[in-house]
């Protein structure tokens, strides 16, 4: 097949290209800076001129883009989108029902919300991972001092300046207190996010006053969705990650690999950012414990970070996400914690039980390699998109 690939700056391009070309497909990258726009005549013109008279069996992108979907519909090209971000506001567009769409979602709960609402262009699939790359990488020299750890956390603390939540600073005292209260309540609950449900009309009115939001003409996202997922859940994740990492760092050597070089967690060592392909797998493979603290807007899905950890042969200690139970066995393939105290206890336990920790890491890696490779991912989606 000839496959048009939207070449935006995302994770996974190398793996997609290698997988498709190894399978005998033609991989054709295309990029135009207007790919995130809702409407752009410049993008439309560039996309259609690039396609021209050439036949493409499908167009593939990580994440979903409204303008790509509409162009594929007009040209009769099947559009395959595989989401790895959540939230993904572009998903809530009228274009989602375009008959040429095949949108694969890694969060089962969000998938079911759309599917049960009558959207027939969405499908559920956990994310793929290249679990064989670590064998190749480990034969090469690497900075062992930098990329090894007793306990590591790779990810954002969502405490950068000018985050969305800061825009609510001028809300009235009642609203501020209400938001603080629901966030503290949500922090005590794993596996279910209720923030959107408890944004009352009065609270929404005040949020609209201090930071107005209106859906675009092509969008169907609600203000509740935007405020909960982009404003509150990110702040909630920031609070949670800082509290949990601070608690862990009291008892062990913790390395933090994060975008913000100025981020401070007491007793932890901030190593700065690591490259996704050339450094991150080494961190996962050479950390005795890898922590995953899922972004709160991911409802039940297995985040890409967790798959990457297991794919690199790392020991995964994560918060509970229901979709793990569809594919992995707790305490055999990975370990989850249920509270701050439980997290600290399990960190200390697995640091002192090396054989058990190594067996779990091995099991998780083998299961990912067997069931969640890019090869099997594309075989699965092509079976749906191109049924025989």
């Amino acid at each position: 097949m000839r496959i048009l690939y939207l070449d935006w700056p995302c994770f996974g391009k190398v793996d997609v290209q290698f997988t498709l070309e190894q399978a005998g497909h033609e991989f054709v990258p295309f990029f135009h800076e207007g790919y995130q726009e809702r409407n752009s005549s410049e993008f439309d013109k560039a996309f259609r001129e690039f396609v021209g008279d050439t036949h493409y069996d499908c167009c593939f992108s990580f994440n979903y883009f409204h303008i790509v979907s509409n162009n594929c519909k007009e040209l009769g090209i099947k559009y395959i989108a595989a989401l790895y971000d959540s939230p993904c506001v572009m998903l809530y567009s009228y274009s989602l029902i375009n008959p040429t769409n095949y949108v694969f979602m890694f969060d089962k709960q969000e998938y079911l919300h759309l599917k049960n609402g009558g959207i027939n262009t969405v499908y559920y699939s956990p994310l793929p991972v290249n679990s064989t790359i670590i064998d190749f990488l480990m034969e090469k020299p690497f900075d062992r001092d930098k990329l090894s750890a007793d306990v590591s956390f790779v990810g954002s603390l969502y405490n950068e300046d000018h985050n969305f939540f800061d825009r609510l600073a001028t809300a009235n005292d009642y609203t501020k207190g209400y938001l603080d209260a629901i966030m503290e309540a949500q922090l005590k609950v794993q596996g279910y996010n209720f923030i959107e449900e408890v944004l009352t009309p009065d609270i929404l009115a005040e949020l609209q006053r201090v930071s107005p939001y209106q859906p675009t003409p092509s969008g169907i996202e609600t203000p509740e969705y935007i405020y909960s997922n982009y404003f509150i859940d990110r702040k909630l994740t920031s609070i949670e990650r800082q509290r949990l990492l601070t608690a862990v760092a009291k008892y062990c050597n913790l390395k933090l690999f994060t975008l913000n070089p100025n981020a401070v967690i007491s007793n932890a060592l901030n190593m700065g950012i690591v490259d996704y392909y050339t450094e991150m797998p080494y961190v996962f493979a050479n950390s005795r414990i890898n922590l995953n603290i899922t972004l709160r807007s991911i409802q039940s899905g297995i985040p890409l970070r967790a798959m990457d950890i297991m794919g690199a042969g790392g020991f995964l200690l994560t918060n509970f996400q229901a979709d793990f139970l569809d594919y992995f066995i707790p305490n055999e393939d990975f370990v989850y914690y249920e509270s701050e105290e439980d997290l600290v206890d399990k960190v200390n336990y697995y640091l002192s039980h090396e054989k058990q920790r190594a067996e779990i890491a091995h099991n998780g890696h083998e299961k990912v390699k067997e069931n969640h490779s890019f090869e099997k991912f594309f075989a699965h989606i092509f079976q749906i998109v191109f049924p025989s």
Side-chain angles (χ1 to χ4, degrees):
M1 293 190 294
R2 182 180 294 114
I3 299 170
L4 184 62
Y5 175 80
L6 183 65
D7 193 14
W8 68 282
C10 65
F11 301 131
K13 175 189 174 179
V14 172
D15 301 307
V16 170
Q17 182 171 1
F18 178 82
T19 301
L20 294 178
E21 290 182 343
Q22 285 294 109
H25 303 300
E26 184 179 349
F27 177 91
V28 184
F30 165 81
F31 176 76
H32 184 277
E33 62 186 7
Y35 71 98
Q36 297 186 83
E37 300 294 329
R38 294 280 186 167
N39 296 285
S40 168
S41 58
E42 292 83 5
F43 181 93
D44 296 343
K45 182 174 184 291
F47 188 89
R48 296 178 192 202
E49 286 182 352
F50 186 90
V51 171
D53 295 330
T54 304
H55 170 77
Y56 289 95
D57 294 275
C58 64
C59 175
F60 176 86
S61 73
F62 279 117
N63 288 344
Y64 176 81
F65 298 100
H66 170 79
I67 198 167
V68 177
S69 174
N70 280 341
N71 274 279
C72 284
K73 176 189 174 186
E74 291 300 316
L75 297 177
I77 300 172
K78 295 183 177 184
Y79 176 40
I80 304 170
L83 271 61
Y84 67 59
D85 277 338
S86 178
C88 180
V89 66
M90 202 71 73
L91 189 65
Y92 291 86
S93 304
Y94 287 110
S95 62
L96 186 61
I97 63 172
N98 284 344
T100 47
N101 282 348
Y102 297 84
V103 181
F104 291 84
M105 305 174 63
F106 75 97
D107 189 323
K108 182 188 283 186
Q109 189 168 327
E110 187 175 25
Y111 154 75
L112 289 173
H113 173 71
L114 293 172
K115 187 69 174 179
N116 293 338
I119 307 297
N120 294 318
T121 54
V122 294
Y123 303 85
Y124 169 65
S125 176
L127 289 163
V129 64
N130 183 351
S131 59
T132 60
I133 189 65
I134 194 63
D135 297 330
F136 170 76
L137 290 175
M138 292 304 290
E139 296 178 358
K140 295 179 172 293
F142 67 97
D143 188 343
R144 189 172 294 274
D145 288 339
K146 176 185 177 182
L147 304 177
S148 299
D150 282 342
V151 183
S152 68
F153 174 78
V154 179
S156 174
L157 296 183
Y158 294 102
N159 61 352
E160 296 81 5
D161 292 338
H162 309 299
N163 61 70
F164 284 120
F165 195 82
D166 288 347
R167 301 179 187 180
L168 308 179
T170 58
N172 60 41
D173 289 343
Y174 175 81
T175 298
K176 289 180 180 178
Y178 188 89
L179 295 181
D180 286 344
I182 63 174
M183 287 194 293
E184 286 298 328
Q186 182 67 81
L187 283 168
K188 294 177 171 61
V189 177
Q190 296 284 342
Y192 181 71
N193 190 322
F194 55 72
I195 295 294
E196 187 172 347
E197 300 172 27
V198 298
L199 294 180
T200 65
D202 288 348
I203 296 297
L204 284 169
E206 178 65 2
L207 298 182
Q208 286 279 30
R209 183 186 72 80
V210 298
S211 185
Y213 180 81
Q214 293 296 327
T216 62
S218 63
I220 57 171
E221 72 280 6
T222 64
E224 296 97 305
Y225 173 86
I226 295 297
Y227 290 125
S228 62
N229 285 274
Y230 284 92
F231 288 70
I232 299 171
D233 281 342
R234 293 191 180 198
K235 181 63 174 181
L236 189 61
T237 303
S238 177
I239 295 170
E240 183 170 42
R241 289 183 176 182
Q242 291 184 66
R243 287 184 185 178
L244 294 179
L245 294 172
T246 298
V248 169
K250 290 179 182 178
Y251 300 97
C252 66
N253 295 319
L254 171 65
K255 283 186 178 179
L256 176 68
F257 299 87
T258 189
L259 294 169
N260 184 353
N262 300 315
V264 175
I265 297 292
S266 295
N267 302 315
L269 188 59
N270 186 342
M271 307 300 294
I273 192 171
V274 285
D275 182 79
Y276 184 80
Y277 280 108
T278 63
E279 295 181 304
M280 194 174 71
Y282 288 117
V283 175
F284 297 152
N286 293 280
S287 295
R288 294 169 68 195
I289 295 176
N290 296 279
L291 300 179
N292 173 65
I293 306 168
T294 303
L295 179 62
R296 281 286 184 156
S297 53
I298 300 175
Q299 299 177 48
S300 67
I302 306 172
L304 179 60
R305 184 58 35 81
M307 298 296 286
D308 283 334
I309 289 169
M310 291 188 287
F315 175 89
L316 172 64
L317 178 54
T318 178
N319 64 292
F320 177 78
Q321 294 286 112
D323 291 5
F324 272 110
L325 304 185
D326 291 340
Y327 302 97
F328 302 100
I329 301 173
N331 303 320
E332 181 176 309
D333 305 317
F334 76 106
V335 176
Y336 70 82
Y337 62 87
E338 300 181 76
S339 66
E340 180 180 309
E341 296 75 18
D342 189 39
L343 171 60
V344 171
D345 288 345
K346 285 175 175 172
V347 166
N348 288 326
Y349 177 86
Y350 284 104
L351 284 177
S352 61
H353 290 76
E354 185 67 22
K355 182 179 179 182
Q356 190 175 357
R357 183 204 63 79
E359 287 176 354
I360 291 172
H362 172 77
N363 292 340
H365 181 248
E366 290 301 306
K367 194 162 286 186
V368 164
K369 184 162 60 174
E370 175 66 23
N371 300 318
H372 301 285
S373 65
F374 274 84
E375 290 80 7
K376 290 206 170 180
F377 175 74
F378 277 108
H380 168 65
I381 65 177
F382 286 162
Q383 187 176 26
I384 292 171
V385 178
F386 304 103
S388 54

